[in-house]
Amino acid sequence: MRLPSKPIVEPDNKEIGALCTAIKAVKQHAEQKKLGRGRGGHGTMPCPVQGCKGLVRYLVYTSNGHMMASCSRAGCLKLRE
Ligand SMILES: [Zn+2]
């Protein structure tokens, strides 16, 4: 079993800020594809988290425009609205 390189701890404010920025980037990516409420869909993009070389897959729900996204790298970005 491989342990994550970084121990899982409560993120500090700086990390929360970085995560918010990353989530915003994913949302913007979805907006560019004209995804949102009434027009759901999915997409992939390189993970916007600095230093992460993972791939983010996201899904936008047609019913409410909410988004679900996760990075291919364990312990990285994960979003569920
Ligand atoms: Zn990532």
Side-chain angles (χ1 to χ4, degrees), residues 11-73:
D12 61 25
N13 287 337
K14 204 176 134 200
E15 283 183 4
I16 290 170
L19 193 64
C20 285
T21 307
I23 287 168
K24 251 184 229 158
V26 178
K27 289 193 179 223
Q28 273 170 10
H29 194 271
E31 273 167 28
Q32 275 168 20
K33 287 173 64 113
K34 308 256 182 277
L35 299 180
R37 193 172 179 168
R39 190 174 183 274
H42 54 87
T44 54
M45 67 182 285
C47 181
V49 174
Q50 215 179 13
C52 178
K53 301 242 173 16
L55 187 74
V56 169
R57 289 171 197 280
Y58 62 84
L59 176 72
V60 179
Y61 293 98
T62 309
S63 56
N64 53 17
H66 283 191
M67 178 182 262
M68 215 169 92
S70 68
C71 178
S72 61
R73 233 188 64 181

